Amino acid sequence: MSEPWDERVAAFWRDADDDRPEAMLAQMQALIDERGAESPEALYEWASVHDFLGREGDAVPLYRAALERGLAGERRPQAVVQLASSLRNVGEADAAVALLQDHPGDTVTGAAPRAFLALALRDAGRPDEALRVALKALAPTLPTYRRAVEAYADALVDSDPAR
């Protein structure tokens, strides 16, 4: 009996090599074919391989489709973060901000949503807010100076008076 699909997908990612894009696409396509192209998990993995290969424009609609079709479990929070990152990379920083603004961290992604929100805010021309988000995410990890860093973050004023 062959390994379960998720284990083979995990093995694919352990061996991922962006120097072999066509081989990676072919290997992932074989896995997708087993699950079915409309499966939310398959759509997510297909988006992820495109994203990994720097084809974020192709990944965006695939991530959206996976989420719309009910992607669940550990893949769902990863898909939200990866979609936001891809949106930022294709010049849609405001869409990335909207996606991550109220997205909580979880045990799968930790503070990654805040990190990618900070990047999107910076690209959206909101550097003070970006720094504030980054510092707020960092502060809980500081054994000393946590309170000071939080206070400095709270004191940052958005440099865009229109916001």
Side-chain angles (χ1 to χ4, degrees), residues 6-135:
D6 285 331
E7 290 178 21
R8 287 182 283 119
V9 168
F12 169 88
W13 287 112
R14 278 192 302 275
D15 297 335
D17 179 0
D18 61 355
D19 288 335
R20 304 176 309 111
E22 297 311 315
M24 284 191 65
L25 289 169
Q27 290 170 345
M28 182 54 76
Q29 184 64 60
L31 289 165
I32 299 308
D33 290 346
E34 290 178 31
R35 187 54 70 100
E38 296 303 309
S39 155
E41 296 80 14
L43 284 163
Y44 166 76
E45 296 299 342
W46 192 233
S48 294
V49 74
H50 282 80
D51 197 355
F52 180 82
L53 293 172
R55 299 173 182 185
E56 292 93 343
D58 294 331
V60 166
L62 295 166
Y63 284 133
R64 286 184 169 143
L67 291 165
E68 289 168 5
R69 285 182 175 75
L71 184 65
E74 291 186 354
R75 285 183 173 102
R76 185 171 189 79
Q78 292 173 350
V80 172
V81 170
Q82 290 169 215
L83 170 57
S85 177
S86 290
L87 286 166
R88 184 183 76 84
N89 286 331
V90 298
E92 295 184 40
D94 289 330
V97 168
L99 189 61
L100 293 174
Q101 192 74 50
D102 297 318
H103 187 73
D106 55 61
T107 59
V108 175
T109 60
R114 309 314 301 163
F116 285 95
L117 174 59
L119 290 166
L121 285 164
R122 184 227 169 245
D123 286 3
R126 297 159 63 182
D128 286 350
E129 193 174 349
L131 180 57
R132 183 175 32 247
V133 167
L135 289 172

